[in-house]
């Protein structure tokens, strides 16, 4: 049956009597059939000559003398069939034919065909990295030209080729390191050729150019994907692939544009810098991080919202990855400037400022010096930080840009990593959080979105109760235990609520602290 079915599809594509619509549908069906046959268990045996004819039929459909609609369907079918046609890709002559046809398709007059051709190239990179070497010079030229000159939808696919290449090389480098550690040779065909490192001097300037093509009107809360976003993502993958090698190539662009009069260049420079923070070693990137803090703190007051947004993100990344490189003398200014952005800025910028404070607080985890001295560098700012972040959660626009969640998570990490001298503050905060949880039950629920927001808020408040409970003693908790458990039980009595897990975690923390005195609540929990 399979042989007859596939033969019919191929006949539809090659026949001069069939209309283009039938050919397109048959090509789509061929591609999906190949994709399915490649992954299902106990797939039917397909004769090698049938597989060869299927591939020939698909590749024939991509030829430049075919109508664009058929070329697009064939290129898409080829992408779906690449795993199924592994035997053909192993044959040099057949592989050359496939690659030549795909590369020619990247020059089609139809942007859909060009995009689909680059999708094929990315898929080949993913599945047949070890076969790329003879084609890399051509792929280098094609992708660079497309990223520079083609329309965005096609340029995005050309950038995806380099992102896929980075992913593959990172995996191969990790495998090689593991083999070296175990004292065994790398598996044949799994050697990393380091194409990304070889292309670095040309690839990085190309990507930084895409960073300057920002879309001011893009809604980052939606599934927006544009050239500057793709360029930044690819640049971060490049940094993780080549590590220290990226720093001397990227920093001239950053340093010459970070204080440019053109906002696009300022934002691109900050985005480029934040994109290479992960990958390079502390020894290489650390001095640049140290120098960047005063400049970035000034940029948080930039007149353009995108520059402020990216700057807050960059500071958040520094706090996450290189907090030890932040100069001690700038710490007070860093905290105060970030705090000043929590209430006065757009939800996007305030959310990023919350993210930065979250990461800054996380750097104090396991601070043994605080346990000994009773204090840490955060203590002086804790009252203002907690008060301001709780005000942020009450902003009318806190539902935008994940702002409310970011603020609550920052509060949680601040509490977790607070020094012993903040305990009185936490005991003042506890009844406030209990009160907010109690008030949440009266929030109106008219839509599913209302219900999700209400339960999300309750989950966040339960999380704060849990972290405060774990920071104080049984004697501190006992006066509040009844009101805490009354509210937690009410959360747990709400059917199908999404915040049950957080409520149970808070209950567990209370039980741990109260020990035998928790017994009076067990009946209500049954």
């Amino acid at each position: 049956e399979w042989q007859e079915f596939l033969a019919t599809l191929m006949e539809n594509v090659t026949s001069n009597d069939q209309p283009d619509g039938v050919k397109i549908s048959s090509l789509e069906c061929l591609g999906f059939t190949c994709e399915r046959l490649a992954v299902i268990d106990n797939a039917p045996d397909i004769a090698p000559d049938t597989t060869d004819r299927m591939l020939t039929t698909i590749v024939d459909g991509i030829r430049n003398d075919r109508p664009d609609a058929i070329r697009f369907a064939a290129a898409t079918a080829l992408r779906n069939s690449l795993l199924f046609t592994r035997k053909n890709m192993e044959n040099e002559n057949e592989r050359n034919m496939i690659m030549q046809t795909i590369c020619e398709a990247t020059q089609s007059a139809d942007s859909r065909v060009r995009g689909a051709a680059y999708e094929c190239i990315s898929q080949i990179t993913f599945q047949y990295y070890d076969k790329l070497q003879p084609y890399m010079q051509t792929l280098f030229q094609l992708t660079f030209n497309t990223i520079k000159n083609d329309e965005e939808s096609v340029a995005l696919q050309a950038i995806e080729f380099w992102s896929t290449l980075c992913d593959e090389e990172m995996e191969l480098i990790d495998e090689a390191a593991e083999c070296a550690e175990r004292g065994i040779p790398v598996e044949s065909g799994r050697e990393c050729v380091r194409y990304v490192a070889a292309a670095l001097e040309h690839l990085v300037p190309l990507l930084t150019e895409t960073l300057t093509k920002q879309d001011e009107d893009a809604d980052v809360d939606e599934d927006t994907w544009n050239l500057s976003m793709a360029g930044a993502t690819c640049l971060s993958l490049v940094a993780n692939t080549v590590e220290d090698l990226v720093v001397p190539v990227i920093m001239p662009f950053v340093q010459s544009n970070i204080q440019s009069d053109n906002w696009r260049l300022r934002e691109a420079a900050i985005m480029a810098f934040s994109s290479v923070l992960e990958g390079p070693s502390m020894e290489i990137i650390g001095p640049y991080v140290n120098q960047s803090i005063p400049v970035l703190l000034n940029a948080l007051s930039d007149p353009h919202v995108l520059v402020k947004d990216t700057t807050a993100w960059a500071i958040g990344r520094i706090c996450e990855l290189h907090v030890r490189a932040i100069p001690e003398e700038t710490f007070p200014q860093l905290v105060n400037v970030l705090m000043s952005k929590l209430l006065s800025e757009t939800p996007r910028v305030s959310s990023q400022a919350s993210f930065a404070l979250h990461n800054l607080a996380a750097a104090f985890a396991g601070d043994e010096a605080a346990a000994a001295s009773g204090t840490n560098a955060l203590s002086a700012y804790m009252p203002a930080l907690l008060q301001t972040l709780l005000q942020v959660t009450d902003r009318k626009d806190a539902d935008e840009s994940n702002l409310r969640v970011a603020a609550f998570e920052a509060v949680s990490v601040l509490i977790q990593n607070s020094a012993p001298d903040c305990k009185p503050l936490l005991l003042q905060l506890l009844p406030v959080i209990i009160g907010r949880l109690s008030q949440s039950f009266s929030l109106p629920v008219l839509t599913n979105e209302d219900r999700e927001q209400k339960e999300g808020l309750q989950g966040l408040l339960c999380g704060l109760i849990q972290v405060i409970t774990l920071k104080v003693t049984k004697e501190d908790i006992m006066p509040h235990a009844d009101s805490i458990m009354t509210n937690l039980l009410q959360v747990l009595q709400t059917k199908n609520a999404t915040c049950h897990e957080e409520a149970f975690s808070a209950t567990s923390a209370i039980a741990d602290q109260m020990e035998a005195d928790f017994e009076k609540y067990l009946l209500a929990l049954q």
Side-chain angles (χ1 to χ4, degrees):
E1 292 180 4
W2 274 102
Q3 302 285 5
E4 293 174 15
F5 169 67
L6 294 171
T8 301
L9 288 177
M10 290 185 283
E11 177 63 28
N12 287 344
V13 175
T14 55
S15 170
N16 292 324
D17 299 329
Q18 294 289 6
D20 286 356
V22 172
K23 294 183 178 184
I24 291 167
S25 297
S26 298
L27 281 165
E28 290 172 348
C29 191
L30 266 178
F32 288 130
T33 300
C34 291
E35 183 181 37
R36 188 69 184 145
L37 288 172
V39 297
I40 59 173
D41 295 327
N42 302 317
D45 290 328
I46 307 296
D49 65 319
T50 303
T51 305
D52 293 343
R53 285 193 296 122
M54 286 168 64
L55 182 62
T56 301
T57 301
I58 292 171
V59 172
D60 184 73
I62 308 176
R63 279 175 25 202
N64 55 20
D65 59 346
R66 301 295 188 222
D68 287 334
I70 290 177
R71 293 187 80 189
F72 173 62
T76 305
L78 179 59
R79 183 198 67 204
N80 292 335
S81 66
L82 282 167
L83 188 59
F84 181 71
T85 52
R86 177 168 291 277
K87 179 182 72 70
N88 306 88
M89 287 296 290
E90 294 293 337
N91 181 296
E92 184 179 357
N93 290 333
E94 293 184 46
R95 185 170 67 247
N96 287 340
M97 176 195 68
I98 292 168
M99 292 301 296
Q100 180 182 342
T101 306
I102 294 172
C103 289
E104 287 174 355
T106 66
Q107 305 305 298
S108 166
D110 189 311
S111 63
R112 296 179 310 154
V113 176
R114 298 197 301 275
Y118 278 117
E119 286 183 40
C120 284
I121 290 169
S122 293
Q123 192 68 18
I124 288 168
T125 303
F126 172 62
Q127 291 177 352
Y128 304 105
Y129 173 91
D130 60 316
K131 302 291 190 288
L132 287 179
Q133 198 153 10
Y135 318 107
M136 273 307 296
Q137 190 59 41
T138 299
L139 295 176
F140 178 96
Q141 292 168 352
L142 289 174
T143 54
F144 271 48
N145 188 54
T146 296
I147 294 168
K148 280 183 179 177
N149 302 315
D150 211 330
E151 59 189 78
E152 184 173 75
S153 62
V154 186
L156 287 171
Q157 295 301 334
I159 292 175
E160 186 62 26
F161 160 74
W162 286 100
S163 294
T164 304
L165 195 63
C166 288
D167 282 332
E168 288 305 298
E169 294 206 338
M170 276 190 277
E171 185 175 335
L172 293 173
I173 290 167
D174 287 345
E175 283 182 21
E178 187 178 334
C179 288
E181 195 175 309
R182 294 167 59 192
I184 59 175
V186 174
E187 180 186 340
S188 177
R190 297 294 293 168
E191 301 87 358
C192 181
V193 186
R194 297 186 182 268
Y195 296 120
V196 177
L200 203 58
E201 296 284 345
H202 303 283
L203 179 59
V204 167
L206 182 68
L207 293 175
T208 55
E209 187 180 333
T210 68
L211 299 185
T212 65
K213 299 178 180 178
Q214 306 94 330
D215 181 358
E216 289 184 83
D217 302 320
D219 186 348
V220 293
D221 289 342
E222 300 298 326
D223 294 330
T224 304
W225 190 244
N226 56 43
L227 206 57
S228 62
M229 292 176 178
T233 300
C234 187
L235 188 55
S236 68
L237 290 169
V238 168
N240 276 282
T241 305
V242 303
E243 299 179 336
D244 289 347
L245 295 177
V246 77
V247 176
V249 185
I250 194 72
M251 287 314 298
F253 173 81
V254 174
Q255 292 170 320
S256 60
N257 291 296
I258 199 164
Q259 297 186 73
S260 167
D261 291 337
N262 183 335
W263 76 263
R264 290 187 181 277
L265 292 175
R266 292 197 304 276
E267 196 274 342
I270 296 167
M271 180 60 81
F273 185 54
S274 61
S275 297
V276 302
L277 288 170
E278 186 176 11
S281 64
M282 179 67 174
E283 291 73 25
I284 299 298
I285 198 71
Y288 294 106
V289 172
N290 183 284
Q291 298 162 25
S292 73
I293 297 299
V295 179
L296 292 174
L297 288 175
N298 286 334
L300 276 176
S301 298
D302 195 276
H304 200 284
V305 67
L306 266 184
V307 178
K308 288 189 285 191
D309 180 42
T310 303
T311 302
W313 164 250
I315 292 172
R317 293 280 286 165
I318 288 170
C319 293
E320 179 184 18
L321 299 166
H322 299 290
V323 71
R324 303 297 172 214
I326 298 173
E328 280 187 34
E329 64 272 17
T330 64
F331 184 83
Q333 185 189 5
L334 176 61
V335 176
N336 286 321
V337 171
L338 288 171
M339 189 160 49
S340 73
K341 302 301 171 184
L342 293 174
L343 296 173
S344 62
E345 293 290 348
T346 64
R348 276 173 60 177
V349 175
S350 296
S351 183
Q352 298 292 13
S354 299
F355 165 74
L357 287 167
H358 172 288
N359 289 334
L360 191 62
F364 288 85
D367 185 1
E368 294 177 5
S373 67
T375 190
N376 64 22
L378 283 173
S379 292
Y381 307 97
M382 284 289 284
L385 280 171
L386 294 176
Q387 181 182 4
T388 308
L389 284 163
L390 286 175
Q391 286 178 280
V392 170
T393 67
D394 293 329
R395 280 178 53 161
K396 291 181 180 179
D397 54 5
D399 294 330
E400 299 176 31
S401 299
N402 204 40
L403 176 55
R404 180 176 287 110
V405 173
F408 268 121
E409 288 180 347
V411 170
S412 179
V413 178
L414 282 164
I415 292 170
Q416 288 176 58
N417 297 325
S418 60
D421 61 350
C422 290
K423 181 178 168 181
L425 180 63
L426 302 188
L427 293 177
Q428 290 175 28
L429 182 62
L430 183 56
V432 174
I433 302 303
I434 298 168
R436 284 181 173 234
L437 182 56
S438 178
Q439 292 164 15
S440 73
F441 296 109
S442 60
L443 290 173
V445 176
L446 302 176
T447 65
N448 282 336
E449 187 178 354
D450 289 340
R451 182 175 62 81
E452 287 172 8
Q453 287 185 3
K454 177 178 178 177
E455 292 175 2
L457 173 62
Q458 289 174 343
L460 292 164
L461 291 167
C462 289
L464 292 187
I465 290 172
Q466 179 190 357
V467 294
I468 294 174
T469 300
L470 295 172
K471 290 291 288 189
V472 298
T473 65
K474 176 180 179 178
E475 290 70 27
D476 297 323
I477 284 295
M478 288 297 286
H480 305 283
D482 284 353
S483 59
I484 292 174
M485 288 307 302
T486 298
N487 285 285
L488 292 179
L489 288 166
Q490 191 168 344
V491 172
L492 293 171
Q493 285 164 5
T494 307
K495 289 185 177 179
N496 303 319
T498 55
C499 52
H500 281 178
E501 183 178 345
E502 291 89 343
F504 275 123
S505 295
T507 302
S508 175
I510 297 289
D512 284 347
Q513 288 283 32
M514 293 183 67
E515 299 174 321
D517 290 318
F518 187 79
E519 187 177 357
K520 63 179 178 178
Y521 305 117
L522 290 178
L523 187 62
L525 283 166
Q526 290 175 351

